[in-house]
Amino acid sequence: MSQAQDTETVQEDGIINSVSGPVVTAADLDARMNDVVYVGDEGLMGEVIEIEGNLTTIQVYEETSGVGPGEPVENTGEPLSVDLGPGMLDSIYDGVQRPLDVLEQKMGSAFLDRGVDAPGIDLEKTWEFTPEVSEGETVEPGDVVGTVPETVTIEHKVMVPPDYEGGEVVSVEEGSFSVEETVVELSTGEEISMHQEWPVREARPAGEKMTPTDPLVTGQRIQDGLFPLAKGGTAAIPGPFGSGKTVTQQQLAKWSDADIVVYIGCGERGNEMTEVIEDFPELPDPQTGNPLMARTCLIANTSNMPVAARESCIYTGITIAEYYRDMGYDVALMADSTSRWAEAMREISSRLEEMPGEEGYPAYLAASLSEFYERAGLFQLFNGGVGSISVVGAVSPPGGDFSEPVTQNTLRIVKTFWALDSDLAEKRHFPSINWNESYSLYSQQLDPWYRENVAQDYPEVRQWAVDVLDEEAELQEIVQLVGKDALPEDQQLTLEVSRYIREAWLQQDAFNDTDTYCEPEKTYRMLQAIKTFNDEAFNALEAGVPVEEISNIDAAPQLNRMGVAEEWNEFIDDLENSIEEQIRELY
Amino acid sequence: MKEYQTITEISGPLVFAEVDEPIGYDEIVEIETPQGDTLRGQVLESSDGLVSIQVFEGTGGIDRNASVRFLGETMKMPVTEDLLGRVLDGSGNPIDGGPDIVPEERQDIVGAAINPYSREYPEEFIQTGVSAIDGMNTLVRGQKLPIFSGSGLPHNDLALQIARQATVPEEEEGGEEGSEFAVIFGAMGITAEEANEFMDDFERTGALERSVVFMNLADDPAVERTVTPRMALTTAEYLAFEKDYHVLVILTDMTNYCEALREIGAAREEVPGRRGYPGYMYTDLAQLYERAGRIEGRDGSVTQIPILTMPGDDDTHPIPDLTGYITEGQIMMDRDLNSQGIEPPINVSPSLSRLMDDGIGEGLTRGDHADVKDQLFAAYAEGKDLRDLVNIVGREALSETDNKYLDFADRFEEEFVQQGNDTNRTIDETLEIGWDLLSMLPKEQLNRIDEDLIEEHYREDEGESETVEATAD
Ligand SMILES: Nc1ncnc2c1ncn2[C@@H]1O[C@H](COP(=O)(O)OP(=O)(O)O)[C@@H](O)[C@H]1O
Ligand SMILES: [Mg+2]
C-alpha cells in the first residue's frame, strides 16, 4: 500500500462514533469517498465508504477488537492506492499491498499484528536504470523512458505516468537509483522516478481494446484442446469445494505462456498460498527455464485475514496487472475465489444496512463483477505497443449450485466457462471439467493460430473429439437402461473410443511430473493417436471383425500411457504403428 | 472500574446498556444480577453512549437493576503447560476439582491470523491406522480435516480411534525424540453421554494426562459455544508454537457452534444468509479452522479434526458446505455403509485430503502409494456405477470385466474400508490389501499405475482364483 506523504492534505482528526466488526463510523471527519484513514489509537488502516451528514463510515482493513468510541481517526486525504515500480515481482502482498515478508519482520512474529504499515515496494533498494530517451526528445504519458532488470525474466519498463502531461526531456540519468529518485525530468517540470502510485478502484487508462487472436497456452489438454482462453480473454471456473478450482488456477499460474502472472488468493486457505510460495521459486517457467517466481506477483488475503482487505485485494491485483500490461506484457491474473470477494462486499454492505439484493448481496454486485472483468482485454497502448490481461476467476457457489447470483452474474460476462463437476471429482477424473457443460466463445477466433502453430487440421480433429463425446453422452442414457452389450457393435466401439478420449486425453494429472504440462503439439498428437485407433477400428469392424477383438489388442491400453510418456513423439509414433499393425492383423 | 445500572433492553442472549465512557469492541463484560450471580459477556457493538452485549450464560435472571462492569480488555485464555490433564468448562474454568490454574500467560482468544508467509507447508504423514484414511485420504501434521457425519453415526468412535492410534512412523523408526503429542478436546453442546464416551476412553488409555478438555454440554449455555473453540484453539497454539507440542484438536459438534451463531444473529436482527445462518459465517468459521498448521522455525504443530453432523445428511447444507470450502478436505461418514456393518463407515469417494499429494510417496509412505490410491478410487467408482446398472439388467448382461469390478467394489468395502475400531493397520498393511484387491482386475485395466510397479506388486494368481469363484456362484 502506498504511504501518503503529502503533509499538506492531512486533515483535522475525526472521532470514532461506533464500532461494529470491520465497520467504524466517525464524526467530524473531513474526508472524501475512498480516502484512506488511520483509525483509533493504534492507527489501523481503513477506507471511507460512506458519508452521511457529519458521520463518515469506514471499512477497516485490520481487526477492530478493543477499538472504541472516542478514539481519533486521521485522514490521509488520498484514495486507496498501490505502489507501482520494480520489486513487485517475486513479492507476496496482503489485500492492501503490504508485503507479507516485511510485515513478518516488522512485527517480529508469525502472527499478523495490527497497526503496522509498509510500502508496497522497497523505497531504499537501488536499481540499475538504463535510459531509452535522450535530452530533447518529447515524451507522452505511457512512453517508456528507460528500463530496469527487475528479475532474471522480466525487464521492467519505466514509463511516463498516465496522469502526467508529458513534454520535452530536459535531463536523463543513468545508473543506480532508488525508486524515489528522479531519473528523467521534463520541460513541464514533471519529474519521473521508477515509482508511481495509482488508486486501485480506477482502471489505468489504455488505448482501444482489440479482438484477441492468440490463445493463452496453458499446457492443460482440456483447456488448450477443447475450451481455449484467449490472451486478453476472460474465464470463470465455478465448482463446489474439492472439485479442482485451486489446482486448475495453480496449473495455469505455473504453465501458461503469459509474461507475468498475478495470483490472488482471495479469502481462501493459508496453506495454499504457502504452497505457492514454496513451490514457485523451485519450478522452472516453461518459457524461459527461470524460476516461476521471477514472473509472479502473489496477493494473499486468506479467509481468516480481515474481510475489508479481502474486498480490496481484487482491485490491488488488477491494478498491478494493468501496470505490467502498460509495459506491453501479456499478463494473466487468477482470482481464487471471486465468491469470497462478493461475500466480503455482502458483509460490508449488510453492516452498512444497505438494501440487500438477491441472496443478501448488494444491488451493485453485478456492476462490480463486470467492472472487474472489463479491466481484462487485449489493449492498444498509448506508447504504440500492445499488452493484454487475461482474467480467470474461480467461483465457489454455495452447495455447488450454479444458479446462485455470483455464478450467474459472472457467466453473463466471461467468454470461457470451465464447469467443474463434483461427480467427476469423486471418481478422481481430473481435471474435473465437465466437457458437456463447458464452453469457450474464443474457439473460432483462435483457430487460425492453431492451424498455423500446431497443426493445419487442429480444429477438425477437435471437432471430431467433441462429436464423439456428444454421441457418448446420448449412448450412455441408453446404456443406463439396457446395458452396453445390448448396443449395436459400432456404437459399442464409439463408447470404447470416447472412453480413451476421456481417460487418456481429457484426464491430466497435475501431480505427475511429466503429465502436469502438455505442449499443444503433444495435446494434438495424443488426440490424433486416439483417432488413429478409431479409424483403424472402424475399418476392421466394417470388414467384419468383432468389436471385442478390436478392443482387446495389446496396443490399445497403451493410449492411457501417452500423458506420462516423456519421449512422447517416439512413443506416439510407435503406438500408432502398433495399433495399425495389430488391428490390420485381425482381418 | 465503573459500574452501570443502565440496562435499557434485554432480548434473547443480548443486553443493551447506556454508557458514558468509550467501550471497546469485543471487550469483556461482567453482569451482576440482583440475586448476586455474575454472568459474563462480550461487547458486540459499541457506539457513542450505547453498547450491545452478548451474554454467554444466557440472559436469565438479568433485569434492569443488574449492574454492568466493563473489564477494559478482550477475552483472554490463561495458558500454561499445567493445563494438560485438566478438564475445564466451556469458558475455561476448571471443573475437575483440581487446583487453581496458575497461568504463564493470558492470551487473547480471538487469535491473530498466521501470516501466510510464515507458514510451513504441512507434509508429514500421520499414520492413523485407518485404511480408508491412510490409504485414500491421508492426514498430515498441521492439517485441518473434519469428519462430516450424521446423527447416530459412529463419528466419535472414529475420532477416538484416530486420537489413540495416530503416530508418525518416520519419527518412530528414526528413534527421534520428536516433540510430544497432546490432545485438545473441545465439546460444544454434545450430550453428557457422548462426553462420557470421550472421557472414559481418555482415562482408559491414559490419554487424559496429555489432554486438555473443554466441556460445553447440551444443557450449558448456547452462546458460550462461540467461545469454547476459541479457548481450545488458543491453548492449542500456545502448546504447539510456544511449547513445541504436536497438538491434535478435536472439536465437536461444529453444528451446535453454528446454531449458536445463528441464534445470536437472529437476536441482533441481522439480515440472515442461507437458511438463516449469518452471512459472515464463512469468515467466522475460517477464523477457527485456519488456526491449524505449522510455522516455519517452530517444532510443534496444530492438527484439527472438527466433527460436524450434517442436518438431514445433506452435504450442501451451509454448515458442511462452508466448512468444506475452508478445511483441507473432509472424511465422509456414510449411513448405508454403517447399516451394512462397515466399521468405520467411511465413504472414500466424497472424502478428500487436499494435503495428501505432498505427504505420500517414496520416503514418506511408499513409492506406489499415489498410483495405488488413484487406481483404487477409479476402480471403486467404476464398480459403484455398475451397481446401478446391474439392478436393471442383471449380472449376466455384464461383461466378465464388469463383473470383476462389481466384486471389486464389494470387497473394497468389506476388506479395505472395514477393519473395526480396534484394528490398527500400518501403511504397508493398508497398501498390501489394496494390491490384493487390485489383483482381482486384469492387469491391463490398471492404467493409473506405473507398469514397473505392476510388475513388482501385482499378484498373478489372484485374478484367476476370483474368476473361478465367480463362475462357481
Ligand atoms: N488436475 C488435477 N490432477 C490431480 N488432482 C487434482 C487435479 N485437480 C484437482 N485435484 C485433486 O482435487 C483436490 C481438490 O482440488 P482443489 O483445486 O483444491 O479444489 P477446490 O479449489 O475446487 O476446492 C486436490 O487436492 C487434488 O487432490
Ligand atoms: Mg480452492
Side-chain angles (χ1 to χ4, degrees), chain A residues 157-235:
Chain A
K157 312 223 167 112
V158 180
M159 298 169 290
V160 181
D163 49 358
Y164 272 27
E165 238 176 81
E168 193 178 312
V169 176
V170 294
S171 84
V172 191
E173 306 286 339
E174 174 162 12
S176 253
F177 296 95
S178 75
V179 294
E180 300 218 283
E181 288 175 276
T182 302
V183 286
V184 174
E185 243 185 275
L186 304 184
S187 54
T188 50
E190 287 170 318
E191 298 178 346
I192 300 168
S193 69
M194 293 179 248
H195 178 205
Q196 297 189 13
E197 284 176 29
W198 195 263
V200 296
R201 296 186 195 278
E202 201 178 303
R204 281 174 68 88
E208 246 173 74
K209 268 198 196 187
M210 302 181 291
T211 307
T213 51
D214 289 0
L216 183 76
V217 174
T218 64
Q220 310 302 304
R221 287 189 289 275
I222 187 157
Q223 268 106 358
D224 293 343
L226 291 185
F227 312 114
L229 171 61
K231 281 203 178 94
T234 49

Side-chain angles (χ1 to χ4, degrees), chain A residues 17 19 65-66 69 104 112 267 428, chain B residues 22 25-26 46 48 118 282 349 351:
Chain A
N17 183 70
V19 184
S65 291
E104 182 191 69
L112 289 168
R428 270 48 176 186
Chain B
Y25 172 68
D26 259 0
S46 171
D48 212 12
S118 312
Y282 176 83
S349 307
S351 300

Side-chain angles (χ1 to χ4, degrees), chain A residues 240-247 430-431 508-511, chain B residues 352 354 357:
Chain A
F241 61 83
S243 57
K245 297 178 292 297
T246 303
V247 174
F430 291 122
Q508 186 173 358
D509 185 357
F511 302 111
Chain B
L352 170 69
R354 294 164 187 270
D357 303 283

Side-chain angles (χ1 to χ4, degrees), chain A residues 219-222 430-431 505-510 515-518:
Chain A
Q220 310 302 304
R221 287 189 289 275
I222 187 157
F430 291 122
W505 193 61
L506 291 180
Q507 280 191 22
Q508 186 173 358
D509 185 357
D515 204 19
T516 186
Y517 175 73
C518 189

Side-chain angles (χ1 to χ4, degrees), chain A residues 200-201 203 209-210 212 229-239 245 249 264 266 314-315 317-319 321-322 325 331-342 345 364-379 388-396 404-418 442:
Chain A
V200 296
R201 296 186 195 278
K209 268 198 196 187
M210 302 181 291
L229 171 61
K231 281 203 178 94
T234 49
I237 323 178
K245 297 178 292 297
Q249 298 247 41
I264 311 173
C266 174
I314 293 284
Y315 296 102
I318 192 88
T319 308
E322 285 173 339
R325 170 208 64 193
V331 185
L333 178 142
M334 291 56 222
D336 186 13
S337 156
T338 59
S339 293
R340 306 299 165 220
W341 171 48
M345 287 190 243
Y364 47 82
L365 171 73
S368 299
L369 281 168
S370 63
E371 262 167 44
F372 165 62
Y373 282 103
E374 266 307 307
R375 290 171 78 169
L378 175 67
F379 292 87
S388 72
I389 301 177
S390 317
V391 171
V392 181
V395 185
S396 316
E404 58 89 39
V406 182
T407 315
Q408 285 306 313
N409 283 309
T410 303
L411 288 185
R412 238 171 270 148
I413 308 160
V414 301
K415 292 193 160 182
T416 307
F417 173 43
W418 297 319
Y442 298 110

Side-chain angles (χ1 to χ4, degrees), chain B residues 1 55 157 202 322 359 363 395 467 470:
Chain B
M1 200 180 313
V55 185
D157 294 333
F202 285 163
L322 295 179
R395 271 212 176 218
T467 341

